[in-house]
């Protein structure tokens, strides 16, 4: 009796994508290798599940280095997550770096022994790191430090004070920018937001603590990159359009869509659009919830107003709320709109670089739009009062009343709203 070979699902959700399945990001990859080559530093940032960890693991692969014409034998690559250091402290960070570095130096037993001594003596610190970098220089090597979830190093906790944070960041900058050993280390960090929006406040009398980084955002995948990711999976143009509508170019959402589609095709089922969207929405709910919670109050307010304006256009004469005059809120919060675009939550159709208006904006995923509307109509009395306070802080009293009335209306007419969304 012959055996049946079942190919594994090539799509990944809940784990970083393996380097051999990594798609796109050519410009960002080249920027990273340019920084590594010049022993400079890169600050990578992107919204939740935008592929930051996959990107760092991609850079840690020796095969990738060879593909890009780089020599991996010169680099000692250390990859760690600040989130895994609980609670985060500067001492805990350097201890983790030294421990992982020791593991990566299999062919250098004498250097491993020196690192072991530093660890045992409690000297895993920036001063100890300078000693290690001097030893790497003698061996014609350098350290590539890939740091994921750097946000955790930029917030206080019971064991990590504001002053300790400032010291840690100053010392990191000293190693990467000021010390003689800077030519033997390159640091790439990944965070949810740009470093200038995180960490300690800027001191007007000194240079910014983050100015030794090149900033690089991870945006949604482009249409050609989406086609590359989905290559080899038979689908109709209608289904392809549906996937782009519900997933946009968001890497994690595309992985979920691909995984669900692959599963259906392998079991011989013809995907039903409605059932497919329901499965997708149920699976991706944690992602949308995380995206929503990571937004600031102003960003959430912008998303809610966007959803209300979109509904206003769809409901036509079947609605009884007025948003006239509230468009000014979008012109007053351009920075937050740009942040939402760069995080891949919304898409700006205006490519001219002029001021963004609400008419230029679309939700990157139609499911995200539905999520925001559900947030609006699931409003209990206390939540409505809290949101009313937020809008009162951001809008004039009359405009805040208009928004409150609109939220009340859609809460009371959910069937009309669902019909419009269909």
């Amino acid at each position: 009796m012959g055996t049946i070979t079942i190919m594994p699902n090539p799509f990944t959700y809940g784990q970083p994508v393996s380097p051999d399945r990594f798609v796109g990001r050519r410009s960002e990859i080249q920027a990273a290798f340019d920084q590594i080559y010049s022993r400079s530093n890169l600050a990578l940032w992107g919204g939740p599940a935008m592929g930051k960890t996959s990107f760092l693991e991609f850079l840690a692969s020796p095969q990738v280095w060879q593909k890009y014409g780089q020599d991996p034998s010169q680099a000692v690559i250390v990859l760690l997550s600040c989130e895994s250091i609980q609670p985060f402290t500067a001492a805990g960070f350097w201890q983790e770096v030294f421990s992982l570095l020791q593991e990566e130096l299999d062919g250098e037993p004498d250097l491993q022994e020196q690192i072991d001594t530093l660890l045992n003596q409690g000297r895993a610190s920036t001063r100890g790191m300078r000693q290690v970098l001097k030893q790497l220089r003698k061996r014609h090597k350098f350290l590539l430090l890939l740091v994921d979830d750097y946000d955790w190093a930029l917030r206080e906790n019971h064991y990590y004070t504001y002053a300790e944070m400032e010291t840690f960041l100053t010392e990191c900058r000293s190693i990467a920018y000021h010390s003689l050993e800077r030519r033997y280390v390159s640091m790439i960090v990944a965070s949810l937001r740009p470093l200038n929006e995180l960490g300690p406040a800027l001191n007007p009398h000194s240079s910014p603590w983050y100015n030794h980084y090149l900033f690089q955002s991870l945006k949604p995948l482009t249409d050609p990159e989406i086609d590359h990711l989905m290559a080899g999976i038979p689908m109709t143009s209608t289904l392809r359009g549906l996937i782009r509508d519900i997933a946009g170019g968001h890497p994690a959402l595309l992985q979920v869509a691909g995984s669900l589609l692959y599963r259906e095709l392998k079991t011989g089922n013809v995907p039903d659009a409605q059932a497919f969207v329901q499965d997708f929405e149920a699976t991706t709910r944690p992602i949308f919830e995380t995206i929503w919670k990571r937004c600031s109050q102003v960003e959430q307010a912008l998303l809610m107003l966007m959803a209300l304006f979109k509904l206003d256009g769809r409901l036509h004469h079947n609605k009884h709320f007025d948003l006239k005059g509230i468009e000014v809120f979008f012109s007053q919060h351009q920075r937050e709109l740009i942040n939402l675009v760069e995080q891949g939550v919304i898409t700006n159709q205006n490519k001219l670089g002029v001021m963004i208006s609400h008419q230029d904006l679309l939700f990157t995923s139609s499911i995200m739009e539905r999520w925001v509307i559900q947030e609006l109509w699931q409003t209990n009395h206390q939540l409505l009062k809290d949101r009313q306070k937020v809008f009162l802080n951001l809008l004039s009293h009359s405009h805040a009343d208009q928004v409150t009335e609109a939220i009340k209306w859609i809460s009371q007419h959910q069937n009309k709203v669902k019909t419009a969304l269909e």
Side-chain angles (χ1 to χ4, degrees):
M1 183 176 177
T3 58
I4 299 174
T5 303
I6 300 177
M7 295 295 291
N9 194 322
F11 296 94
T12 306
Y13 173 59
Q15 293 290 336
V17 174
S18 61
D20 61 305
R21 286 287 301 167
F22 193 90
V23 167
R25 310 293 195 202
R26 297 300 179 192
S27 176
E28 294 88 342
I29 294 166
Q30 193 58 59
F33 276 117
D34 287 346
Q35 293 300 96
I36 293 168
Y37 181 78
S38 62
R39 305 297 183 264
S40 298
N41 310 286
L42 180 71
L44 189 75
W45 69 276
M50 194 55 76
K52 299 180 292 295
T53 302
S54 297
F55 190 92
L56 292 181
E57 292 199 359
F58 185 80
L59 291 179
S61 167
Q63 290 76 24
V64 169
W65 280 57
Q66 292 167 354
K67 180 180 176 181
Y68 279 82
Q70 304 291 325
D71 182 6
S73 66
Q74 294 182 352
V76 182
I77 302 173
V78 169
L79 170 62
L80 75 153
S81 164
C82 289
E83 187 177 4
S84 67
I85 303 165
Q86 292 292 340
F88 182 89
T89 61
F93 174 85
W94 289 115
Q95 188 168 353
E96 182 73 1
V97 169
F98 276 62
S99 297
L100 293 171
L101 181 56
Q102 189 180 33
E103 293 175 12
E104 294 296 325
L105 291 166
D106 282 340
E108 306 284 352
D110 55 334
L111 185 50
Q112 282 182 317
E113 188 175 339
Q114 290 180 46
I115 293 173
D116 191 52
T117 300
L118 291 170
L119 282 166
N120 291 333
Q121 294 178 352
R123 292 163 58 201
S125 61
T126 51
R127 182 173 294 182
M129 179 53 67
R130 287 195 179 92
Q131 295 180 34
V132 172
L133 293 175
K134 286 177 183 177
Q135 294 301 320
L136 289 176
R137 179 191 65 188
K138 293 177 181 178
R139 293 160 174 79
H140 306 290
K141 293 180 181 291
F142 71 96
L143 170 64
L144 174 59
L145 194 54
L146 304 173
V147 185
D148 203 1
D149 305 306
Y150 200 53
D151 316 69
W152 288 81
L154 303 173
R155 62 178 72 139
E156 302 169 68
N157 61 56
H158 289 303
Y159 304 92
Y160 184 57
T161 66
Y162 189 87
E164 288 170 334
M165 183 201 308
E166 287 187 307
T167 300
F168 170 72
L169 294 172
T170 300
E171 290 180 342
C172 283
R173 182 185 178 193
S174 175
I175 287 178
Y177 191 65
H178 287 304
S179 71
L180 294 173
E181 292 74 37
R182 68 180 183 275
R183 296 183 60 81
Y184 305 97
V185 60
S186 180
M187 193 169 176
I188 297 180
V189 302
S191 59
L192 284 163
R193 289 182 178 268
L195 297 186
N196 57 300
E197 296 181 13
L198 303 169
L202 181 64
N203 184 341
H205 304 294
S206 63
S207 182
W209 60 267
Y210 51 77
N211 76 344
H212 58 289
Y213 290 102
L214 171 68
F215 281 51
Q216 176 69 61
S217 66
L218 281 189
K219 299 181 178 68
L221 299 181
T222 63
D223 284 350
E225 290 170 341
I226 296 171
D227 291 339
H228 186 189
L229 180 66
M230 296 294 176
I233 297 184
M235 67 175 82
T236 63
S237 59
T238 302
L239 190 56
R240 189 182 302 274
L242 175 64
I243 288 174
R244 292 193 182 185
D245 179 61
I246 62 176
H250 194 288
L253 298 180
L254 287 166
Q255 290 289 338
V256 172
S259 179
L260 293 173
L261 180 59
Y262 186 86
R263 190 190 311 161
E264 288 294 297
L265 293 173
K266 289 299 289 184
T267 53
N269 295 329
V270 177
D272 172 74
Q274 188 173 354
F276 180 79
V277 172
Q278 288 174 350
D279 287 347
F280 176 86
E281 191 168 2
T283 307
T284 56
R285 190 169 291 118
I287 297 177
F288 289 110
E289 185 175 3
T290 301
I291 291 171
W292 176 255
K293 289 182 176 178
R294 293 285 186 185
C295 291
S296 67
Q297 282 191 337
V298 174
E299 289 168 347
Q300 287 184 355
L302 285 164
L303 293 175
M304 287 190 280
L305 288 178
M306 262 188 69
L308 288 173
F309 272 107
K310 300 299 179 191
L311 274 178
D312 193 8
R314 291 187 182 123
L315 288 164
H316 303 295
H317 302 297
N318 295 320
K319 52 91 178 177
H320 300 282
F321 59 85
D322 178 25
L323 299 175
K324 196 173 295 181
I326 299 176
E327 301 92 337
V328 68
F329 184 67
F330 292 89
S331 63
Q332 292 169 345
H333 293 89
Q334 294 289 297
R335 179 63 256 177
E336 287 83 2
L337 286 174
I338 292 169
N339 276 346
L340 288 168
V341 170
E342 290 178 336
Q343 291 176 58
V345 181
I346 59 178
T347 302
N348 178 19
Q349 295 181 296
N350 188 338
K351 307 301 181 185
L352 299 178
V354 296
M355 185 173 287
I356 305 170
S357 75
H358 73 282
Q359 295 169 326
D360 300 325
L361 299 169
L362 293 173
F363 284 90
T364 302
S365 165
S366 59
I367 306 294
M368 186 70 205
E369 182 177 5
R370 285 165 59 175
W371 173 273
V372 174
I373 291 169
Q374 287 167 6
E375 279 290 310
L376 288 170
W377 76 36
Q378 291 174 5
T379 306
N380 59 40
H381 180 67
Q382 185 57 48
L383 197 52
L384 183 61
K385 286 179 65 177
D386 292 343
R387 289 209 174 128
Q388 194 170 16
K389 288 178 184 176
V390 171
F391 282 114
L392 278 170
N393 289 333
L394 300 172
L395 300 167
S396 68
H397 200 285
S398 60
H399 285 163
D401 286 343
Q402 284 176 257
V403 173
T404 302
E405 288 304 310
I407 292 173
K408 285 180 180 177
W409 188 91
I410 68 167
S411 300
Q412 295 162 1
H413 299 84
Q414 293 185 23
N415 287 335
K416 288 185 179 180
V417 173
K418 288 177 181 177
T419 302
L421 285 174
E422 290 298 327

